Amino acid sequence: MSEDILSVAAGWRDAGEAVAIATVVETWGSSPRPPGSRFAVSESGRMAGSVSGGCIEGAVADVARRTMQDGKPQLLDFGISDEMAWEVGLACGGKLKVFVEKLG
Amino acid sequence: MTPETLSRLQAAIEAKTPVALCTRLSDGAQLLFPEDEAEPGLATAAEAALAADKAANHEGWFIHPHNPPLRLFIVGAVHAGQAILPMAAALGYAVTVIDPRSAFATEERLPGVDINHEWPDDAMAQLKPDTRTAIVTLTHDPKIDDPALDAALRSQAFYIGALGSTRTHAKRVARLQEMGHGEDAVARIHAPVGLDIRAVTAPEIALSIMAEIVAVRRGSRLASR
């Protein structure tokens, strides 16, 4: 993986911020980012990397903010169906799972 | 991710040691393969993920391989070689420029890059190209390019490219065959180097070369000639 989101996020953490990292763990169909792609969010709202083409980063950032407070990891499904809690869809029709965890 | 896991993962990346971060998605438990003990099935899957350089899932675990960066050896500190540097860095390649001519391979022309001033056969013996290495020769000078290509063909490098026209390359192929390389071996060399985008300027040539390396790495149909 060429993009070093992990070290960017670790740098924010070392500077004293709470940080959460989201990682694509599984994809189906035409999801734009492959498994292993990372998206980092800090408590002051800094962001780096991506888990999609920009369709779901807002929703993931909301969950990331909760995760960096309570420390509880979350596994999110996107683009599955309307009944799912996560109604933010992917315009491309792909589906994916994103794991969100607090860093450090 | 605990602070301990984070610092161990960062240490492995820094040391260029292949490592797979394994995460149990149900509760976020993590281990690092091969440093930590993993049950045999997970260990086998982690080994395979590292070999394929591809993330994988195994019985509720997400396996995230972290391999050392791909390497790119540029033989010849020429203008096109300089233009490759920022693109290669952005694409995640660790670049080494090999050029025994000290007038070309200077810190000033190649800021922040590993420079090897040995003759290419000695340089290759030191650097040991492997399956995660791409090699490009740019000098046009058989004294420098030929020993580099000779060593490249005896390695598992995933990409070998040589600058020079079709005619220049035909002569080069004849010389390499005299050195004992068969038809299949010399066919590994991409020449004229780079995708045919009608590149003219040094950055355009750099773009065509990097595009071809990515195409080969990703198995694109553009990679076959």
Side-chain angles (χ1 to χ4, degrees):
Chain A
M1 313 275 146
S2 60
E3 311 142 296
D4 199 359
I5 305 305
L6 189 69
S7 68
V8 172
W12 296 341
R13 180 184 163 271
D14 292 344
E17 282 208 72
V19 177
I21 283 216
T23 307
V24 176
V25 297
E26 210 166 352
T27 65
W28 296 264
S30 54
S31 297
R33 303 286 287 130
S37 303
R38 284 183 167 124
F39 172 58
V41 183
S42 82
E43 65 182 318
S44 71
R46 290 198 270 192
M47 296 190 276
S50 63
V51 286
S52 75
C55 330
I56 59 167
E57 273 75 2
V60 172
D62 287 342
V63 175
R65 257 172 233 118
R66 275 215 308 279
T67 298
M68 69 182 80
Q69 280 161 17
D70 64 19
K72 283 192 201 128
Q74 301 281 340
L75 185 60
L76 313 177
D77 281 291
F78 287 97
I80 301 292
S81 80
D82 302 12
E83 295 104 57
M84 301 301 291
W86 304 101
E87 289 187 16
V88 191
L90 290 172
C92 53
K95 298 177 188 177
L96 74 164
K97 282 189 183 185
V98 176
F99 182 74
V100 185
E101 65 191 310
K102 184 174 181 179
L103 189 67
Chain B
M1 193 183 300
T2 64
E4 191 226 345
T5 303
L6 174 61
S7 69
R8 286 171 59 215
L9 177 58
Q10 287 187 294
I13 292 169
E14 182 73 24
K16 300 190 172 163
T17 307
V19 66
L21 173 67
C22 305
T23 305
R24 191 161 58 202
L25 296 176
S26 57
D27 63 0
Q30 288 175 320
L31 63 85
L32 286 183
F33 176 86
E35 294 178 14
D36 298 329
E37 205 170 313
E39 54 92 8
L42 180 59
T44 306
E47 191 110 54
L50 278 169
D53 198 25
K54 210 169 170 199
N57 285 277
H58 173 81
E59 293 182 359
W61 288 83
F62 175 64
I63 304 167
H64 194 172
H66 292 72
N67 275 308
L70 296 159
R71 293 188 295 168
L72 171 61
F73 301 167
I74 300 173
V75 181
V78 298
H79 192 186
Q82 290 176 288
I84 287 175
L85 302 177
M87 291 182 204
L91 292 166
Y93 286 80
V95 178
T96 302
V97 175
I98 300 166
D99 199 325
R101 304 167 301 179
S102 46
F104 280 93
T106 62
E107 285 288 345
E108 194 188 358
R109 283 167 57 84
L110 308 165
V113 175
D114 278 341
I115 304 174
N116 188 309
H117 286 293
E118 303 291 331
W119 280 87
D121 36 356
D122 293 332
M124 294 289 184
Q126 284 169 13
L127 296 167
K128 298 184 176 46
D130 58 16
T131 56
R132 295 176 53 78
T133 307
I135 301 169
V136 178
T137 63
L138 300 176
T139 71
H140 282 121
D141 181 346
K143 279 203 307 298
I144 299 171
D145 282 356
D146 284 8
L149 290 168
D150 178 35
L153 290 176
R154 283 187 279 107
S155 79
Q156 299 278 304
F158 76 87
Y159 177 89
I160 304 170
L163 190 73
S165 67
T166 308
R167 230 170 42 193
T168 307
H169 188 59
K171 289 185 203 158
R172 181 188 288 140
V173 164
R175 291 193 306 272
L176 288 166
Q177 285 178 331
E178 266 171 44
M179 294 164 92
H181 295 289
E183 214 160 288
D184 288 354
V186 292
R188 285 174 66 198
I189 303 172
H190 291 258
V193 71
L195 291 186
D196 183 5
I197 56 170
R198 301 285 191 267
V200 174
T201 65
E204 287 174 2
I205 293 166
L207 177 65
S208 86
I209 294 172
M210 290 315 300
E212 186 166 65
I213 292 174
V214 171
V216 168
R217 168 111 182 111
R218 300 297 188 192
S220 160
R221 63 185 168 77
L222 292 173
S224 55
R225 301 200 176 203

